[in-house]
Structures are given as C-alpha cells and as structure tokens.
Amino acid sequence: MTLEAGRNAVVRVAVATLWASPETTRAVDAPALADRTDIPAWISAMNRDQQVGQCVLSQLLLGERVLVEEVRPDGWARVVAVEQPAAKLDPRGYPGWLPTAQLSPAPRETPPAQPLVVDATTTSLHADPAGELVLDGVILGTRLLPAGPARDGWRPVHAPGHRQPLWTPDGHLVPVSTRPPTADEVLAMASRLRDVVYIWGGVSAYGVDCSGLVHLAWRRFGVRLPRDADDQADATTPLLLGAERPGDLYFFARPGRPIHHIGIVTAAPDSPDRRRMLHACYMQRRVIEEPLSADRAATLVGAHRV
C-alpha cells in the first residue's frame, strides 16, 4: 500500500518531527529525517541556536494518525496531525510536513483489543522476547495495541509498518486509563521529564518545549490537549489567581501579545510572590522546577485548570 492524498496514515518511527516545510530543514536535521529516526543523536548534534529553529513545528509518536493532504515525488507529505488540536491553524489538527518514509498507510481495520500505553520514559521493540532490536526510542505516552498475552516478561504488540508483532518489556506498558487523571498524577508524570533538553517543537522524552511538556504529560493519560500554549489556554478553565493548586497551569504573555509560555503549577502559593512551576525553560534550555522570577511574575496572565 502507498500513501494517498485524502487518506489517513500512521507514524511508523518512534518519533517523527513535523516540519514547517521541506525547504526549511538543515544539515543538522539528518538524524530526524532518516527512515529510522535517531532523535537523541539529532538533539546532541545541535547547538544552542539550532535547538530553537522554528523550522520544527511539533513531533508525533509511533502510531499517531495523520491525514495526508499531498504526497510529493521527492519523498515528502503534507499532513494534518489529527491527534494534536490546533484550532487557530486548522480545525482538523496541526498542519505540517513529514518524510513519507516515516509513514505507513493506516490499516483499514483496527484489531479489536484494549490499547496499551508506554509508561516507561523510553522503551524499545524487538523481533522476539529479548531478541533483535527493531525499533528503539519509543517514548512515554505512545499507544500500542497488544498482539497476544505476555510471555516471560515480554508483551507482543502491533507496530505500524511491521507485518509481524514486535515485543517490548511488559513492565513498560500499562492499560490506557478509563478515568480522568488527577492533577497530582499529571504533575508526577511531567516531573519525570525534569532536566530534559528544551527543543522548540519537541514532544518527546529526549527534547520538549513548554507546551509540548503539558501536551505529553496529559497525553500519557489519554487526555488530548491542544499542542500550542494559546490553544491550551482556550481549552482549559480559568481560575482566580491564588486559587491554583499543583497540577494546574500558568500562562504568560507580554502586554498586547498572545500567550507565549506555559508552566505546570507545583505548589499552592502562600503569597503572590511565592509561586512555583515546572516548565520547559527557553532560557536554561531544559525542563526545570523553580519559583517564578520577577519577569515571569510580570507576564503571568492567568492560571487554568484542565
């Protein structure tokens, strides 16, 4: 089967990067453009300036669905990432470009099985239990369909682009939650990504931006928040400042400008100048937990609850 415009496809690599256009990619991006991506190698090769290149829009996880809008003969597809809401850009999802080699046509029928989600920060898929490595770098929040019962501590799963089931450690998977997560659960999940590198557009355990951290933490529990911070503000419930609790969200904007930053509340404030948050920090280029600086406090425009 080949990709076709107007039809759905699924990501077949562990992490696919969504690009503004094929022409904006750089030489340093080669590991993220490969048929089998190597996101850690991509991130480690970038300098500080390249980490915030706005050629990157977002990232998609193994099995994530897209609507294919155009397939170019040079190996690129224009897609809409339908699992990443982006109302201001496209009501169907986040638009951008992906290499066609990183996609497989969506199956006509989905196996009738309760989906599992990766709960390990990263895991790998193997040809057999403890056997040959087939796909490395599968990350937290990735959904996989079981292909049978666990055996010797390993679970077979269906993976896009592979005819035969692949195997992953059973302890790295949990059933997709059937109840909304608590704020404490989401905060604990996001806290596992502390010290992860800041990457503009990142949505992985290897590199993440501020809204990507929030999107990924809630995604682990099956809650589909929008991808960008301003859309996340529109999709959540405003609170009176002072009423926020751990797991709520802080939003930041300059006067007269749209929201540009988001963080996760980590402590109930005992005074207006003693607020704390976990966030992917552009300045420090990593995920940190810290008190709001004077500049952050001056641009705080609201607290919201999911």
Side-chain angles (χ1 to χ4, degrees):
M1 296 174 63
T2 58
L3 299 180
E4 298 178 21
R7 303 193 71 90
N8 288 326
V10 291
V11 172
R12 61 179 295 167
V13 295
V15 179
T17 301
L18 190 70
W19 304 91
S21 75
E23 291 72 28
T24 60
T25 59
R26 309 154 296 185
V28 74
D29 299 324
L33 297 169
D35 294 359
R36 182 172 170 175
T37 59
D38 187 341
I39 301 303
W42 174 56
I43 291 173
S44 65
M46 284 192 281
N47 62 35
R48 186 178 174 86
D49 291 336
Q50 291 167 332
Q51 290 173 353
V52 296
Q54 295 188 22
C55 53
V56 175
L57 300 177
S58 188
Q59 290 183 312
L60 287 69
L61 308 187
L62 176 69
E64 191 165 339
R65 292 183 301 114
V66 301
L67 172 64
V68 178
E69 294 206 297
E70 177 188 352
V71 180
R72 294 198 335 192
D74 62 353
W76 284 91
R78 181 165 56 88
V79 305
V80 175
V82 298
E83 297 182 43
Q84 297 191 21
K88 293 181 177 65
L89 299 174
D90 190 314
R92 299 170 299 174
Y94 216 109
W97 291 83
L98 291 173
T100 56
Q102 297 178 7
L103 295 170
S104 290
R108 304 284 182 173
E109 297 181 1
T110 301
Q114 178 67 29
L116 303 169
V117 63
V118 174
D119 188 52
T121 305
T122 64
T123 192
S124 54
L125 304 182
H126 299 252
D128 299 290
E132 177 188 358
L133 177 65
V134 176
L135 190 60
D136 199 11
V138 177
I139 71 155
L140 179 78
T142 300
R143 287 196 177 198
L144 297 166
L145 286 174
R151 190 177 82 202
D152 299 327
W154 291 77
R155 175 68 69 100
V157 294
H158 297 285
H162 298 272
R163 291 181 177 273
Q164 299 300 318
L166 301 179
W167 295 77
T168 193
D170 190 40
H172 289 182
L173 303 171
V174 295
V176 171
S177 179
T178 57
R179 61 165 179 82
T182 67
D184 286 343
E185 287 173 328
V186 177
L187 177 56
M189 186 59 56
S191 296
R192 290 167 54 183
L193 300 178
R194 191 177 304 198
D195 291 325
V196 166
V197 175
Y198 181 101
I199 296 293
W200 183 277
V203 189
S204 87
Y206 299 113
V208 69
D209 66 12
C210 64
S211 54
L213 173 66
V214 172
H215 175 86
L216 184 59
W218 284 92
R219 178 185 185 138
R220 156 62 184 83
F221 296 99
V223 178
R224 187 181 298 175
L225 284 186
R227 172 61 183 87
D228 289 342
D230 54 348
D231 287 324
Q232 289 171 347
D234 290 342
T236 52
T237 303
L239 305 168
L240 290 174
L241 280 174
E244 66 270 22
R245 294 294 180 266
D248 291 333
L249 304 173
Y250 283 138
F251 291 93
F252 302 86
R254 303 286 180 189
R257 302 293 299 274
I259 287 170
H260 68 268
H261 191 62
I262 184 174
I264 304 174
V265 179
T266 57
D270 52 17
S271 67
D273 60 348
R274 292 173 64 88
R275 294 185 165 97
R276 301 186 66 88
M277 69 176 177
L278 178 79
H279 66 133
C281 180
Y282 171 90
M283 297 302 295
Q284 297 198 35
R285 295 290 201 273
R286 61 189 178 93
V287 177
I288 58 175
E289 194 277 337
E290 64 175 355
L292 268 61
S293 65
D295 179 66
R296 289 291 187 206
T299 58
L300 177 63
V301 293
H304 289 216
R305 183 165 293 161
V306 178

